[in-house]
Amino acid sequence: RVQVRDREIKVNIFDMAGHPFFYEVRNEFYKDTQGVILVYDVAQKESFDALDAWLAEMKQELGPHGNMENIVFVVCANKIDCTKHRSVDESEGRLWAESRGFLYFETSAQTGEGINEMFQTFYSAIIDLCDNGGKRPPSSMGVGFTKEQADAIRRIRNSKDSWDMLGVKPGATRDEVNKAYRKLAVLLHPDKCVAPGSEDAFKAVVDARTALLKNIK
């Protein structure tokens, strides 16, 4: 039992064992879920990459009539105390979460940082969901940026070189490079784009254009 705002609520939390061996046990717990906490280790990139598989499993278990839009999702970037070994930065995790309309928190189970805030926000969001007839209030679903912007930031982050970053083929002309640059600059300029990582992506695009134009006559 926990106290949230002006009321006491009873919370049941089930820790879903991640090993495939436990699938037949955990698949019973997806039905009637009101909230989900997705946790990954910021020092283990594979745990972050696995978030998509967890969503896919849940969607499969809920079936064609299940509605994941009316479930409160929180993403916890955990073990932020391990700063020296961090491999997933905040902007990448936040972008993944917020582009899906999920809440995002930086946490440390070791030090307790962010834990209370996360749970209080999580519980409050579920209360709002219940008060709204089991549907997420519209305000909690707005992300403030487009899928095109989020996809562009991810692509730039994962680009192997400057050509790939601008989306042009090696040997492109100055005009083609500048055209590709202008399109991305308008899409990702920090004054216009609030997506996590937009500022770094914009700077990377500027640097890529500069590097390419130096070698194009």
Side-chain angles (χ1 to χ4, degrees):
R1 294 183 180 276
V2 295
Q3 191 75 25
V4 182
R5 299 204 290 249
D6 60 344
R7 65 181 86 174
E8 183 180 78
I9 61 172
K10 184 180 179 181
V11 181
N12 294 300
I13 298 178
F14 301 93
D15 184 4
M16 312 290 256
H19 193 283
F21 176 79
F22 296 105
Y23 170 71
E24 295 299 335
V25 178
R26 68 173 180 260
N27 64 0
E28 299 294 326
F29 293 98
Y30 286 113
K31 187 180 178 183
D32 299 325
T33 293
Q34 294 170 300
V36 173
I37 303 175
L38 292 165
V39 186
Y40 68 91
D41 180 345
V42 297
Q44 297 288 337
K45 184 69 159 57
E46 57 268 29
S47 69
F48 173 70
D49 293 337
L51 296 181
D52 285 310
W54 279 106
L55 288 181
E57 180 177 296
M58 182 172 189
K59 187 173 183 178
Q60 174 183 306
E61 292 305 315
L62 290 178
H65 302 295
N67 189 357
M68 292 176 66
E69 293 298 316
N70 292 328
I71 296 172
V72 175
F73 284 88
V74 166
V75 176
C76 284
N78 195 42
K79 298 191 181 181
I80 59 170
D81 52 288
C82 302
T83 52
K84 291 182 180 179
H85 304 290
R86 184 161 188 164
S87 60
V88 183
D89 64 30
E90 180 179 350
S91 65
E92 185 174 7
R94 188 177 291 279
L95 180 67
W96 188 93
E98 293 183 358
S99 65
R100 291 163 173 78
F102 298 168
L103 299 166
Y104 176 87
F105 287 90
E106 298 259 301
T107 62
S108 169
Q110 176 74 22
T111 66
E113 183 177 352
I115 299 295
N116 287 336
E117 181 188 0
M118 181 276 293
F119 273 112
Q120 285 296 314
T121 303
F122 183 51
Y123 296 150
S124 291
I126 293 175
I127 289 175
D128 290 339
L129 177 142
C130 294
D131 289 346
N132 198 45
K135 296 181 180 180
R136 275 195 296 185
S139 60
S140 68
M141 297 175 67
V143 296
F145 54 89
T146 67
K147 183 178 184 299
E148 183 183 10
Q149 289 171 324
D151 289 345
I153 293 170
R154 289 193 193 96
R155 185 181 63 75
I156 290 166
R157 185 187 293 272
N158 296 321
S159 295
K160 60 182 184 293
D161 56 34
S162 295
W163 299 105
D164 191 28
M165 191 172 291
L166 291 182
V168 294
K169 294 180 180 179
T173 65
R174 293 182 71 90
D175 285 345
E176 289 171 334
V177 168
N178 282 324
K179 184 178 179 180
Y181 163 77
R182 283 194 295 271
K183 182 179 178 181
L184 287 169
V186 170
L187 187 68
L188 300 175
H189 195 285
D191 289 346
K192 304 290 185 182
C193 180
V194 298
S198 61
E199 187 171 350
D200 288 340
F202 178 77
K203 289 177 181 176
V205 166
V206 171
D207 291 342
R209 171 181 177 263
T210 301
L212 292 180
L213 291 182
K214 282 183 179 178
N215 298 312
I216 298 176
K217 295 181 180 180

